[in-house]
mmCIF file of all heavy atoms in Angstrom:
data_model
loop_
_atom_site.group_PDB
_atom_site.id
_atom_site.type_symbol
_atom_site.label_atom_id
_atom_site.label_comp_id
_atom_site.label_asym_id
_atom_site.label_seq_id
_atom_site.Cartn_x
_atom_site.Cartn_y
_atom_site.Cartn_z
ATOM 1 N N ALA A 201 -35.503 24.724 -30.612
ATOM 2 C CA ALA A 201 -34.646 23.544 -30.722
ATOM 3 C C ALA A 201 -33.594 23.791 -31.781
ATOM 4 O O ALA A 201 -33.898 24.274 -32.870
ATOM 5 C CB ALA A 201 -35.474 22.313 -31.069
ATOM 6 N N SER A 202 -32.336 23.466 -31.442
ATOM 7 C CA SER A 202 -31.268 23.613 -32.425
ATOM 8 C C SER A 202 -31.187 22.388 -33.328
ATOM 9 O O SER A 202 -30.444 22.375 -34.295
ATOM 10 C CB SER A 202 -29.930 23.833 -31.716
ATOM 11 O OG SER A 202 -29.646 22.713 -30.899
ATOM 12 N N VAL A 203 -31.945 21.362 -33.009
ATOM 13 C CA VAL A 203 -31.977 20.136 -33.811
ATOM 14 C C VAL A 203 -33.407 19.878 -34.252
ATOM 15 O O VAL A 203 -33.987 18.825 -33.991
ATOM 16 C CB VAL A 203 -31.403 18.938 -33.014
ATOM 17 C CG1 VAL A 203 -29.897 19.010 -32.916
ATOM 18 C CG2 VAL A 203 -32.021 18.839 -31.641
ATOM 19 N N SER A 204 -33.992 20.822 -34.920
ATOM 20 C CA SER A 204 -35.405 20.732 -35.280
ATOM 21 C C SER A 204 -35.706 19.549 -36.196
ATOM 22 O O SER A 204 -36.837 19.058 -36.212
ATOM 23 C CB SER A 204 -35.863 22.024 -35.949
ATOM 24 O OG SER A 204 -35.094 22.258 -37.110
ATOM 25 N N HIS A 205 -34.703 19.069 -36.923
ATOM 26 C CA HIS A 205 -34.942 17.929 -37.808
ATOM 27 C C HIS A 205 -35.234 16.645 -37.023
ATOM 28 O O HIS A 205 -35.705 15.667 -37.586
ATOM 29 C CB HIS A 205 -33.743 17.717 -38.736
ATOM 30 C CG HIS A 205 -32.473 17.370 -38.018
ATOM 31 N ND1 HIS A 205 -31.702 18.317 -37.381
ATOM 32 C CD2 HIS A 205 -31.870 16.180 -37.816
ATOM 33 C CE1 HIS A 205 -30.659 17.728 -36.839
ATOM 34 N NE2 HIS A 205 -30.745 16.434 -37.077
ATOM 35 N N LEU A 206 -34.980 16.635 -35.726
ATOM 36 C CA LEU A 206 -35.263 15.456 -34.910
ATOM 37 C C LEU A 206 -36.695 15.423 -34.381
ATOM 38 O O LEU A 206 -37.103 14.455 -33.757
ATOM 39 C CB LEU A 206 -34.291 15.392 -33.718
ATOM 40 C CG LEU A 206 -32.810 15.217 -34.054
ATOM 41 C CD1 LEU A 206 -31.978 15.183 -32.782
ATOM 42 C CD2 LEU A 206 -32.576 13.952 -34.864
ATOM 43 N N PHE A 207 -37.456 16.482 -34.611
ATOM 44 C CA PHE A 207 -38.818 16.564 -34.088
ATOM 45 C C PHE A 207 -39.839 16.486 -35.210
ATOM 46 O O PHE A 207 -39.619 16.986 -36.308
ATOM 47 C CB PHE A 207 -39.023 17.871 -33.307
ATOM 48 C CG PHE A 207 -38.263 17.915 -32.024
ATOM 49 C CD1 PHE A 207 -37.000 18.468 -31.968
ATOM 50 C CD2 PHE A 207 -38.815 17.398 -30.866
ATOM 51 C CE1 PHE A 207 -36.296 18.511 -30.787
ATOM 52 C CE2 PHE A 207 -38.122 17.435 -29.673
ATOM 53 C CZ PHE A 207 -36.853 17.990 -29.632
ATOM 54 N N ARG A 208 -40.975 15.884 -34.903
ATOM 55 C CA ARG A 208 -42.105 15.873 -35.829
ATOM 56 C C ARG A 208 -42.828 17.210 -35.734
ATOM 57 O O ARG A 208 -42.597 17.995 -34.817
ATOM 58 C CB ARG A 208 -43.083 14.764 -35.445
ATOM 59 C CG ARG A 208 -42.527 13.384 -35.565
ATOM 60 C CD ARG A 208 -43.595 12.391 -35.199
ATOM 61 N NE ARG A 208 -43.016 11.064 -35.098
ATOM 62 C CZ ARG A 208 -43.582 10.059 -34.513
ATOM 63 N NH1 ARG A 208 -44.770 10.201 -33.947
ATOM 64 N NH2 ARG A 208 -43.003 8.888 -34.463
ATOM 65 N N GLU A 209 -43.751 17.421 -36.654
ATOM 66 C CA GLU A 209 -44.600 18.609 -36.568
ATOM 67 C C GLU A 209 -45.417 18.518 -35.285
ATOM 68 O O GLU A 209 -45.939 17.450 -34.959
ATOM 69 C CB GLU A 209 -45.545 18.676 -37.778
ATOM 70 C CG GLU A 209 -44.880 19.147 -39.053
ATOM 71 C CD GLU A 209 -44.483 20.613 -38.980
ATOM 72 O OE1 GLU A 209 -45.259 21.423 -38.429
ATOM 73 O OE2 GLU A 209 -43.393 20.936 -39.472
ATOM 74 N N PRO A 210 -45.537 19.605 -34.537
ATOM 75 C CA PRO A 210 -46.305 19.530 -33.289
ATOM 76 C C PRO A 210 -47.786 19.285 -33.569
ATOM 77 O O PRO A 210 -48.351 19.751 -34.558
ATOM 78 C CB PRO A 210 -46.078 20.887 -32.632
ATOM 79 C CG PRO A 210 -45.486 21.757 -33.663
ATOM 80 C CD PRO A 210 -44.938 20.906 -34.752
ATOM 81 N N ASP A 211 -48.407 18.527 -32.684
ATOM 82 C CA ASP A 211 -49.847 18.267 -32.764
ATOM 83 C C ASP A 211 -50.564 19.237 -31.826
ATOM 84 O O ASP A 211 -50.130 19.464 -30.698
ATOM 85 C CB ASP A 211 -50.156 16.827 -32.335
ATOM 86 C CG ASP A 211 -49.549 15.806 -33.296
ATOM 87 O OD1 ASP A 211 -49.453 16.119 -34.493
ATOM 88 O OD2 ASP A 211 -49.178 14.708 -32.834
ATOM 89 N N ILE A 212 -51.658 19.811 -32.305
ATOM 90 C CA ILE A 212 -52.485 20.693 -31.486
ATOM 91 C C ILE A 212 -53.659 19.868 -30.978
ATOM 92 O O ILE A 212 -54.451 19.348 -31.765
ATOM 93 C CB ILE A 212 -52.988 21.903 -32.303
ATOM 94 C CG1 ILE A 212 -51.837 22.597 -33.023
ATOM 95 C CG2 ILE A 212 -53.765 22.861 -31.412
ATOM 96 C CD1 ILE A 212 -50.801 23.184 -32.112
ATOM 97 N N LEU A 213 -53.763 19.746 -29.663
ATOM 98 C CA LEU A 213 -54.802 18.930 -29.040
ATOM 99 C C LEU A 213 -55.790 19.830 -28.301
ATOM 100 O O LEU A 213 -55.490 20.984 -27.996
ATOM 101 C CB LEU A 213 -54.161 17.930 -28.080
ATOM 102 C CG LEU A 213 -53.135 16.972 -28.712
ATOM 103 C CD1 LEU A 213 -52.479 16.124 -27.639
ATOM 104 C CD2 LEU A 213 -53.772 16.107 -29.770
ATOM 105 N N PRO A 214 -56.953 19.316 -27.996
ATOM 106 C CA PRO A 214 -57.946 20.136 -27.272
ATOM 107 C C PRO A 214 -57.453 20.487 -25.863
ATOM 108 O O PRO A 214 -56.563 19.845 -25.325
ATOM 109 C CB PRO A 214 -59.180 19.250 -27.235
ATOM 110 C CG PRO A 214 -58.720 17.886 -27.562
ATOM 111 C CD PRO A 214 -57.460 17.991 -28.319
ATOM 112 N N PRO A 215 -58.057 21.502 -25.268
ATOM 113 C CA PRO A 215 -57.652 21.919 -23.917
ATOM 114 C C PRO A 215 -57.882 20.833 -22.894
ATOM 115 O O PRO A 215 -58.733 19.959 -23.049
ATOM 116 C CB PRO A 215 -58.539 23.124 -23.627
ATOM 117 C CG PRO A 215 -59.182 23.493 -24.903
ATOM 118 C CD PRO A 215 -59.103 22.344 -25.815
ATOM 119 N N ILE A 216 -57.092 20.894 -21.821
ATOM 120 C CA ILE A 216 -57.239 19.945 -20.720
ATOM 121 C C ILE A 216 -58.157 20.575 -19.678
ATOM 122 O O ILE A 216 -57.929 21.699 -19.237
ATOM 123 C CB ILE A 216 -55.873 19.616 -20.106
ATOM 124 C CG1 ILE A 216 -54.987 18.915 -21.134
ATOM 125 C CG2 ILE A 216 -56.024 18.736 -18.859
ATOM 126 C CD1 ILE A 216 -53.589 18.640 -20.677
ATOM 127 N N GLY A 217 -59.177 19.862 -19.287
ATOM 128 C CA GLY A 217 -60.088 20.324 -18.247
ATOM 129 C C GLY A 217 -60.807 21.607 -18.654
ATOM 130 O O GLY A 217 -61.309 21.744 -19.763
ATOM 131 N N ALA A 218 -60.810 22.601 -17.744
ATOM 132 C CA ALA A 218 -61.507 23.860 -17.986
ATOM 133 C C ALA A 218 -60.591 24.919 -18.574
ATOM 134 O O ALA A 218 -60.967 26.085 -18.678
ATOM 135 C CB ALA A 218 -62.104 24.357 -16.674
ATOM 136 N N SER A 219 -59.375 24.543 -18.995
ATOM 137 C CA SER A 219 -58.427 25.507 -19.540
ATOM 138 C C SER A 219 -58.933 26.057 -20.874
ATOM 139 O O SER A 219 -59.608 25.369 -21.632
ATOM 140 C CB SER A 219 -57.067 24.835 -19.740
ATOM 141 O OG SER A 219 -56.185 25.697 -20.387
ATOM 142 N N ASP A 220 -58.580 27.305 -21.166
ATOM 143 C CA ASP A 220 -58.966 27.871 -22.462
ATOM 144 C C ASP A 220 -57.793 27.818 -23.443
ATOM 145 O O ASP A 220 -57.843 28.404 -24.511
ATOM 146 C CB ASP A 220 -59.480 29.307 -22.294
ATOM 147 C CG ASP A 220 -58.431 30.223 -21.706
ATOM 148 O OD1 ASP A 220 -57.456 29.713 -21.125
ATOM 149 O OD2 ASP A 220 -58.587 31.449 -21.846
ATOM 150 N N HIS A 221 -56.693 27.107 -23.078
ATOM 151 C CA HIS A 221 -55.526 26.971 -23.948
ATOM 152 C C HIS A 221 -55.465 25.564 -24.518
ATOM 153 O O HIS A 221 -55.709 24.591 -23.816
ATOM 154 C CB HIS A 221 -54.230 27.234 -23.161
ATOM 155 C CG HIS A 221 -54.203 28.571 -22.497
ATOM 156 N ND1 HIS A 221 -54.086 29.742 -23.210
ATOM 157 C CD2 HIS A 221 -54.278 28.923 -21.186
ATOM 158 C CE1 HIS A 221 -54.085 30.754 -22.355
ATOM 159 N NE2 HIS A 221 -54.214 30.286 -21.124
ATOM 160 N N LYS A 222 -55.112 25.466 -25.778
ATOM 161 C CA LYS A 222 -54.951 24.163 -26.398
ATOM 162 C C LYS A 222 -53.587 23.579 -26.002
ATOM 163 O O LYS A 222 -52.663 24.300 -25.647
ATOM 164 C CB LYS A 222 -55.048 24.288 -27.915
ATOM 165 C CG LYS A 222 -56.435 24.686 -28.368
ATOM 166 C CD LYS A 222 -56.520 24.712 -29.865
ATOM 167 C CE LYS A 222 -57.939 25.082 -30.291
ATOM 168 N NZ LYS A 222 -58.064 25.163 -31.734
ATOM 169 N N VAL A 223 -53.473 22.278 -26.117
ATOM 170 C CA VAL A 223 -52.239 21.578 -25.767
ATOM 171 C C VAL A 223 -51.418 21.392 -27.036
ATOM 172 O O VAL A 223 -51.936 20.972 -28.077
ATOM 173 C CB VAL A 223 -52.553 20.201 -25.134
ATOM 174 C CG1 VAL A 223 -51.277 19.421 -24.888
ATOM 175 C CG2 VAL A 223 -53.334 20.385 -23.856
#
Side-chain angles (χ1 to χ4, degrees):
S202 61
V203 285
S204 59
H205 63 282
L206 296 180
F207 291 93
R208 296 182 189 163
E209 283 291 320
D211 295 328
I212 309 297
L213 302 175
I216 296 175
S219 174
D220 61 342
H221 303 289
K222 293 184 179 178
V223 175

